[in-house]
Amino acid sequence: MMRKPRAATAKAVEYRDMDSDLSFTQTVSSDENSEEWRPPEPKPKAPSKTARDPAAGEKKAPAKRTAKPKEPKAPKQPKAPKVPKDPKPRAPRKPAAERKSLPAKVLKDSGPHALAGTKRKKKYEGKTDTDGENQTDCPEGEMAKESGPSVRMKEERLSFIVSDAHQTDRWAGEGSSFAGLIAKKEKVEEEDFTFDEPCQKKQKTSGACLGQPAALASSKAQTLTNELNMNWDLIELLSTLACVEQWVCANIIALLREENTVPFMVRYRKEMINHMDADAVRDVQLVYEELCSLAKKTQSVIQTLKKDGVLTTELEQNLRSCRSADELDHVYSPYKKGSKLTKARRAKALGLEEATSTLMDAPHSLDLRAWIKPGTEGLSSVEEVATGVEHILADMIAKDPETLTHVKTLCENSFVTIQSSVSKTALKEKEQDKSLQGPKKPGAQPSKSKDIDKFHLYFDFTCNIKSIQSHQTLAINRGESLKILTVKVNIPDRVKCDFTRWCINNRWRPRTLAREELRAIIKNAVEDSYKRLILPFLTRSYRTKLTSTAEKESIAMFVRNLRQRLLVCPVRGCVIMGVDPGFRHGCKLAVLSPTSQILHTDILYLHNSDRHREAEKLRHLMIKYSCTRVVIGNGTACRETESFFADLISRRYCHPLDVSYCITNEAGASIYSVSPEAVKEMPDLDPNLRSAVSIGRRVQDPLAELVKIDPKHIGIGTYQHDVSAGALKAALDGVVQECVSFVGVDINICSETLMRHVAGLNAGRARNIAEWREQNGPFINREQLKLVKGMGPKTYQQCAGFIRINPQTSAKSSSGPAPAVPEKPAARKGKGKTCVNIPTSFNPLDQTCIHPESYSVAQRFLSLVGGSADQIGSAGLRRCVESKVSGSTVEELARTVDTTPETLRLIIDGLTQPPGFDMRQNFGQADFKRGIVSMSDLRVGAVLTGRVDNTTLFGAFVDIGVGRSGLIHKSNITLDKLPVSQRRRSLALGPGERVEVRVLNVDPQRGRIGLDLIRVLQ
């Protein structure tokens, strides 16, 4: 016989209004209610705060030394890794420090994203391999191995789209000096800046080296689980959702809790994260933060329910078993304050829960007439009693995990579709526009009609839920939010029939034979549960999942476009004229020196009647400053301005100068020109002239200029207003930090704005560095960073490897700042920095990507090859290194100098790269030209070259030099047209890539050009 069904809420689905039969459209729009409740955070969380204290920054260090004065002795014990195993007993001893530890929380809200797995999946095979690892990619299932001195990167998610793995390793290759998982809190507490111990000696779990799994201590894993206080294992669930091995997840969690930045992990802790790129690490970080946010929200819900007196043991267990925000909201929604009392709860209040249990356990003994109470609403007749029993049973069915799993399986095997149609409101507005168009002509109303016409593709749209594209999902969502479209999810009636039959005959079959009227009650309860509770839940689940997937795809597109826009190769060594074109207000000019200094600004009216006089003035400026490169913004009057310069060039008007021009994207220049940063940088310039300066600098050094602008305003990606603003900002800020850090900054000449994007730094620390630089002169070496206010050991560790000290920019400091160096430590607030000896001489290693923690290893390697630090970047040292590496393996040499192969590879790159090496030299540069082609010159079948301007979820826009970008639809971007290194990337093209295309169609009236991709030009 069937076992007794559970009578309380179980694992999790969500619903909103259980008292009315909701239509599809109503339930679709109710997704937004997931943000409605924000219960107060629970206060008793001392244990978890204590456990997070190791991740607190240097600002919390003094409080730790006060509470635990003897902790620094821990490293002297032979079993140091066991020191932080059980931090819980410390919680009662430091109540005053609890508020200080709040800013260092790793658990933070991450927005309304579903906890979906990333595209990347790796499986570990073979624990005895010490030189490499086998990894399997989820989507393709292809195997990639590491062998010899090269490091294998994940091709489908390459951070910088570099095909040569060795070149990639130049900026992301150093291994770890902490391969163990357990945090060494004493380093922060002692303000210890030294990183010169041999890397292997610091590794407490040597098995973690070079991609080997580091077994997480059971007590440490238990501590993580206890902190969240959920019924699932954090590392196991994170591994499942992120498609990453458990040991990698454990290491990433440990690194994040120690406040390590993603760029630092990717470059200097590579073997701990199994050679993952920055995007993959951020994916794991996002899922981890979502799980932490879920645990935090669950705790708040439990506290709220406990105050309301409705929390039961079984309800609490169901809440702690939830694995997503949707599940949690479904379990919690019937108990929310302000929501109507559900039909099931009203029936339970009448005492009918016992009758429902009897119906399922012993239906032969159930007499509904015995429950009648005349004069009591809900119990006055047999029909009312039967209805109450049906409502309780329907609620039990809708919250039963096995039942929900079965109905989801039925849907998976059925043809579920999403359907959109034009709304009645939109049709009514369109009719009003037509009637008003005659008398009023242009006005505000026709624009509304145009907005409606933008969605004509979705006026009668139906698509399988499994095959709908991400851009279609976002377009439908936008149309629905504007009340132009109505959307519903269609689940076949066959699902309802199969579900009803399974419930009656299997899961919800009474234990003994039931009478006909009781069987009718069960059947009605099943049908009511499906229609009123389960169907709306399935609809919301599908919409939430589709939206989450589409948002992640859109954000991933933004991230990749921004990275390639930031990493365009700078144009150095020439004077550049930036032009912000315009008609009435003239063309704003700015002449910039090779170092981006403003030489001259002016306004010329190139499109007025007196063009000859303006041309003479322009020629005078170009000859005076020897300007041969012109950068024109792609805004208003761009085409006319381009034609003007092309005419001058064709007539050799500026002879003997060989002048060329390029068109650049000016998105965000106007916003930047009135920003506080621009006012501070160019206080005496008119905002219009600042735009011209910004346009010119975007070609001279794209990275340094574009970081001044909010990434959302750079003109990349699509549907930026339809995705989570918080998630988009976090992802784009992470990419900016990654690009700035991996390229590196010369600390003596970089702007404060650029400096704040270096890993480990922020606006305050960047300002302190700039002030120190102004007071004491240029930095002589990296060690002097320790003297800057706010630069603790953790901050120094995170940023030092990405900061360069070039001898050319630090040479003039030989006489000035030396006396000020010993004074600075005394000004620190009792942190004991007076004992830190800061050298006052230049260290050649400071101009490389080698981290200070590996300097001793680099010196041993130089001694081994017979070179010196003064030879860095020279041909002689390069030959010595190459001969040594060719005569042995990197692994053998790493053992000789007592380090990891990854660390040694990065050291080799740092020692052999020429002075002033810039990783961006391997990327495309702006295209300068001398002639112009118009749209009317295009012919179908013509083969052209162009540069990708922007990529979207449906294709790539290519600038082919005719004033309008052409579209390569994604159906024309096939694998056989792509280089091997790009065949596993989403859409495979990004801004800045040069391509050869064929014209498919030209529509001059609509200004549209259809293109076919022939090949990607290397």
Side-chain angles (χ1 to χ4, degrees):
M1 296 301 290
M2 180 64 189
R3 67 180 182 275
K4 178 182 176 180
R6 284 166 284 194
T9 56
K11 185 180 173 183
V13 275
E14 73 173 18
Y15 58 96
R16 291 289 187 279
D17 186 351
M18 307 190 0
D19 287 307
S20 59
D21 295 339
L22 299 180
S23 67
F24 287 119
T25 306
Q26 289 169 328
T27 57
V28 161
S29 63
S30 65
D31 280 341
E32 300 172 1
N33 293 338
S34 60
E35 295 287 336
E36 288 179 359
W37 56 276
R38 291 280 179 183
E41 296 183 8
K43 295 180 181 178
K45 291 197 110 176
S48 83
K49 289 176 183 174
T50 307
R52 283 193 297 272
D53 276 348
E58 51 270 15
K59 293 183 181 180
K60 269 69 78 178
K64 291 181 182 177
R65 288 199 307 274
T66 304
K68 295 282 293 179
K70 295 186 179 180
E71 266 189 17
K73 295 183 180 179
K76 298 180 181 178
Q77 300 174 3
K79 302 208 172 184
K82 295 183 180 179
V83 172
K85 274 190 178 179
D86 189 11
K88 287 189 175 182
R90 296 179 197 161
R93 299 177 60 182
K94 33 193 300 189
E98 284 183 358
R99 281 190 293 271
K100 285 191 176 182
S101 66
L102 285 175
K105 282 187 180 179
V106 179
L107 312 178
K108 53 190 174 189
D109 293 334
S110 57
H113 293 295
L115 302 178
T118 60
K119 293 180 181 178
R120 163 194 197 91
K121 184 174 183 179
K122 298 172 280 182
K123 295 184 182 294
Y124 172 73
E125 298 179 6
K127 294 189 177 181
T128 58
D129 183 13
T130 58
D131 294 329
E133 69 285 334
N134 297 330
Q135 292 178 328
T136 301
D137 235 336
C138 277
E140 291 85 7
E142 297 181 8
M143 193 72 69
K145 294 185 179 180
E146 175 186 314
S147 60
S150 66
V151 174
R152 190 255 312 114
M153 301 291 292
K154 288 295 179 185
E155 292 179 4
E156 78 280 14
R157 297 290 297 278
L158 279 177
S159 287
F160 290 107
I161 324 304
V162 181
S163 58
D164 189 348
H166 182 67
Q167 291 176 354
T168 305
D169 215 32
R170 292 177 181 175
W171 46 266
E174 183 166 358
S176 168
S177 56
F178 301 102
L181 175 65
I182 295 175
K184 296 184 68 173
K185 294 185 284 187
E186 291 76 20
K187 292 187 68 58
V188 178
E189 292 166 359
E190 293 179 348
E191 298 277 318
D192 179 14
F193 282 96
T194 60
F195 298 103
D196 53 0
E197 291 182 41
C199 292
Q200 290 282 13
K201 291 182 181 178
K202 287 189 177 180
Q203 293 174 354
K204 303 303 179 184
T205 50
S206 58
C209 169
L210 200 57
Q212 292 294 321
L216 188 70
S218 58
S219 61
K220 187 75 175 178
Q222 190 61 40
T223 300
L224 290 174
T225 303
N226 290 342
E227 281 182 16
L228 298 184
N229 200 11
M230 300 294 282
N231 289 346
W232 34 258
D233 180 81
L234 172 63
I235 295 173
E236 182 180 341
L237 182 58
L238 178 61
S239 174
T240 302
L241 295 175
C243 299
V244 176
E245 298 93 323
Q246 290 192 26
W247 67 272
V248 179
C249 292
N251 287 346
I252 291 176
I253 291 174
L255 290 168
L256 290 173
R257 289 164 64 85
E258 293 168 7
E259 290 193 331
N260 291 288
T261 60
V262 171
F264 178 82
M265 288 189 272
V266 171
R267 176 173 283 185
Y268 298 114
R269 298 292 181 266
K270 200 168 185 181
E271 72 281 1
M272 288 186 71
I273 61 173
N274 204 13
H275 305 268
M276 291 167 66
D277 61 32
D279 285 338
V281 175
R282 270 193 293 269
D283 286 340
V284 177
Q285 181 184 16
L286 178 63
V287 178
Y288 169 62
E289 290 172 352
E290 287 174 349
L291 290 176
C292 293
S293 175
L294 174 64
K296 189 176 178 181
K297 194 177 289 186
T298 301
Q299 189 63 28
S300 298
V301 168
I302 290 173
Q303 293 296 325
T304 302
L305 295 178
K306 190 179 292 184
K307 289 179 183 177
D308 295 342
V310 296
L311 184 67
T312 64
T313 303
E314 190 167 1
L315 176 58
E316 181 177 356
Q317 292 305 310
N318 290 333
L319 289 168
R320 294 194 188 280
S321 298
C322 294
R323 297 190 172 205
S324 71
D326 283 345
E327 293 182 6
L328 177 65
D329 200 42
H330 175 69
V331 176
Y332 174 58
S333 58
Y335 306 95
K336 285 183 180 179
K337 287 182 178 178
S339 62
K340 290 190 291 185
L341 201 62
T342 63
K343 294 179 178 180
R345 290 180 67 186
R346 283 201 295 266
K348 288 179 182 179
L350 294 173
L352 292 177
E353 193 169 8
E354 183 182 345
T356 307
S357 301
T358 306
L359 172 63
M360 302 309 298
D361 293 338
H364 61 277
S365 63
L366 178 62
D367 183 7
L368 296 180
R369 292 187 297 271
W371 294 86
I372 296 176
K373 292 182 181 178
T376 303
E377 185 180 356
L379 298 176
S380 58
S381 66
V382 174
E383 290 75 15
E384 289 186 356
V385 172
T387 302
V389 172
E390 286 176 10
H391 290 160
I392 295 175
L393 186 56
D395 183 67
M396 293 165 59
I397 293 171
K399 293 179 179 178
D400 178 55
E402 188 175 335
T403 303
L404 293 176
T405 301
H406 182 77
V407 74
K408 288 178 181 177
T409 303
L410 291 176
C411 291
E412 285 292 320
N413 299 327
S414 302
F415 191 78
V416 181
T417 61
I418 185 170
Q419 178 182 344
S420 67
S421 57
V422 61
S423 67
K424 294 180 181 179
T425 306
L427 288 175
K428 204 175 289 183
E429 289 179 356
K430 198 170 184 180
E431 290 298 324
Q432 291 175 356
D433 289 342
K434 286 183 180 178
S435 62
L436 294 174
Q437 209 165 8
K440 283 199 175 181
K441 291 206 172 178
Q445 294 293 339
S447 66
K448 181 68 176 176
S449 177
K450 286 182 180 178
D451 286 342
I452 295 174
D453 291 337
K454 287 179 182 177
F455 295 92
H456 70 277
L457 292 175
Y458 302 99
F459 283 177
D460 187 16
F461 176 83
T462 303
C463 184
N464 189 344
I465 215 86
K466 296 178 182 177
S467 59
I468 188 171
Q469 302 296 313
S470 295
H471 67 275
Q472 294 173 330
T473 300
L474 294 174
I476 288 172
N477 289 351
R478 181 187 292 181
E480 184 184 29
S481 66
L482 295 174
K483 294 183 170 45
I484 295 174
L485 300 177
T486 58
V487 187
K488 65 180 179 179
V489 175
N490 294 325
I491 298 175
D493 291 337
R494 184 173 61 84
V495 173
K496 177 183 177 181
C497 297
D498 293 347
F499 173 74
T500 303
R501 189 182 310 113
W502 177 81
C503 286
I504 295 173
N505 297 330
N506 293 280
R507 177 64 177 161
W508 299 96
R509 181 180 177 182
R511 291 189 173 222
T512 61
L513 187 63
R515 298 188 301 277
E516 183 65 30
E517 64 271 16
L518 297 183
R519 289 202 299 270
I521 290 176
I522 296 175
K523 182 180 179 182
N524 293 338
V526 171
E527 292 177 349
D528 178 53
S529 179
Y530 179 82
K531 180 180 179 181
R532 183 167 55 88
L533 303 176
I534 295 177
L535 198 57
F537 162 71
L538 292 174
T539 299
R540 284 192 301 273
S541 296
Y542 278 121
R543 291 296 304 279
T544 301
K545 186 176 180 181
L546 288 176
T547 301
S548 175
T549 303
E551 283 189 353
K552 288 185 178 180
E553 281 291 319
S554 181
I555 291 174
M557 186 69 67
F558 266 99
V559 163
R560 194 160 56 81
N561 289 352
L562 177 61
R563 180 183 292 119
Q564 294 198 237
R565 185 67 60 84
L566 293 176
L567 292 177
V568 171
C569 183
V571 176
R572 302 189 187 278
C574 62
V575 177
I576 281 183
M577 175 182 289
V579 181
D580 184 6
F583 288 118
R584 288 178 57 188
H585 301 290
C587 296
K588 282 69 68 177
L589 310 180
V591 182
L592 306 175
S593 72
T595 57
S596 296
Q597 300 300 313
I598 302 173
L599 301 178
H600 181 80
T601 59
D602 206 342
I603 298 178
L604 299 183
Y605 296 88
L606 306 179
H607 309 301
N608 288 355
S609 55
D610 195 5
R611 298 177 55 170
H612 180 71
R613 186 170 62 86
E614 298 298 290
E616 282 290 335
K617 190 185 297 185
L618 182 64
R619 178 171 64 176
H620 171 73
L621 286 176
M622 300 191 75
I623 293 176
K624 177 181 178 180
Y625 294 105
S626 300
C627 178
T628 58
R629 302 287 178 93
V630 179
V631 181
I632 305 172
N634 65 346
T636 305
C638 167
R639 193 68 177 162
E640 291 75 11
T641 305
E642 180 187 10
S643 177
F644 181 86
F645 276 96
D647 180 59
L648 296 183
I649 292 171
S650 65
R651 293 191 285 124
R652 299 178 60 82
Y653 193 74
C654 298
H655 185 77
L657 296 179
D658 183 17
V659 180
S660 58
Y661 70 89
C662 76
I663 310 294
T664 192
N665 192 327
E666 66 173 37
S670 299
I671 296 175
Y672 165 71
S673 65
V674 294
S675 67
E677 289 84 359
V679 173
K680 181 179 178 181
E681 187 179 0
M682 299 172 278
D684 301 326
L685 275 188
D686 180 83
N688 293 318
L689 294 174
R690 291 179 194 148
S691 297
V693 173
S694 177
I695 288 171
R697 286 175 175 174
R698 288 183 183 206
V699 172
Q700 278 191 321
D701 193 345
L703 179 62
E705 188 63 24
L706 291 177
V707 295
K708 303 174 184 176
I709 303 166
D710 189 330
K712 292 185 296 185
H713 299 144
I714 296 179
I716 52 172
T718 53
Y719 297 101
Q720 71 181 51
H721 301 295
D722 299 298
V723 300
S724 167
L728 179 62
K729 184 180 187 308
L732 296 184
D733 289 347
V735 173
V736 173
Q737 184 189 65
E738 170 193 333
C739 293
V740 172
S741 299
F742 286 163
V743 170
V745 298
D746 186 339
I747 197 67
N748 288 321
I749 61 174
C750 73
S751 66
E752 182 182 321
T753 306
L754 181 64
M755 205 187 310
R756 70 180 58 160
H757 293 289
V758 176
L761 300 184
N762 53 28
R765 290 165 185 158
R767 184 170 56 253
N768 292 340
I769 291 175
E771 290 174 356
W772 194 98
R773 193 171 60 189
E774 290 175 4
Q775 295 171 6
N776 301 284
F779 288 87
I780 305 172
N781 52 52
R782 285 172 173 168
E783 292 289 309
Q784 286 186 327
L785 288 169
K786 300 173 183 177
L787 304 177
V788 176
K789 179 183 177 183
M791 186 70 68
K794 176 57 72 173
T795 301
Y796 178 77
Q797 181 195 38
Q798 297 300 305
C799 72
F802 306 116
I803 286 175
R804 307 283 186 271
I805 308 289
N806 291 322
Q808 295 84 1
T809 57
S810 64
K812 54 187 176 182
S813 65
S814 55
S815 59
V821 170
E823 298 175 7
K824 196 70 182 176
R828 302 290 296 200
K829 299 177 181 179
K831 287 198 173 186
K833 289 200 174 183
T834 52
C835 62
V836 179
N837 292 322
I838 304 297
T840 57
S841 59
F842 173 71
N843 187 342
L845 293 174
D846 288 342
Q847 59 185 318
T848 69
C849 60
I850 303 172
H851 197 280
E853 68 184 9
S854 303
Y855 279 3
S856 60
V857 179
Q859 293 290 355
R860 289 199 296 273
F861 181 73
L862 284 170
S863 301
L864 185 66
V865 300
S868 66
D870 296 330
Q871 297 176 288
I872 287 176
S874 66
L877 180 60
R878 192 179 301 113
R879 285 193 297 271
C880 292
V881 171
E882 289 173 355
S883 63
K884 194 71 177 178
V885 173
S886 61
S888 180
T889 64
V890 174
E891 288 72 21
E892 292 176 0
L893 292 174
R895 286 193 291 270
T896 303
V897 296
D898 198 12
T899 188
T900 63
E902 283 85 356
T903 303
L904 185 58
R905 287 189 184 98
L906 189 65
I907 289 174
I908 291 173
D909 285 337
L911 295 178
T912 56
Q913 287 168 352
F917 172 79
D918 192 332
M919 56 166 286
R920 292 174 292 176
Q921 68 190 31
N922 298 318
F923 297 87
Q925 200 175 56
D927 289 326
F928 286 87
K929 53 187 178 180
R930 294 174 177 81
I932 185 171
V933 180
S934 67
M935 196 168 174
S936 59
D937 298 328
L938 293 179
R939 295 292 179 269
V940 174
V943 176
L944 306 167
T945 59
R947 192 173 291 277
V948 177
D949 184 52
N950 190 18
T951 54
T952 67
L953 296 172
F954 51 83
F957 289 95
V958 180
D959 180 7
I960 53 177
V962 298
R964 284 277 185 175
S965 293
L967 173 66
I968 309 177
H969 192 267
K970 68 176 186 177
S971 60
N972 294 321
I973 305 175
T974 55
L975 291 180
D976 57 303
K977 301 175 183 178
L978 300 173
V980 176
S981 62
Q982 294 177 245
R983 289 186 181 177
R984 298 196 322 193
R985 285 166 32 207
S986 172
L987 197 55
L989 295 177
E993 295 195 68
R994 296 186 66 245
V995 292
E996 188 175 51
V997 295
R998 180 183 290 107
V999 179
L1000 294 179
N1001 54 73
V1002 181
D1003 186 349
Q1005 291 183 342
R1006 302 170 70 189
R1008 294 187 176 181
I1009 305 168
L1011 303 175
D1012 180 25
L1013 176 66
I1014 297 177
R1015 63 191 175 102
V1016 178
L1017 301 175
Q1018 297 294 325

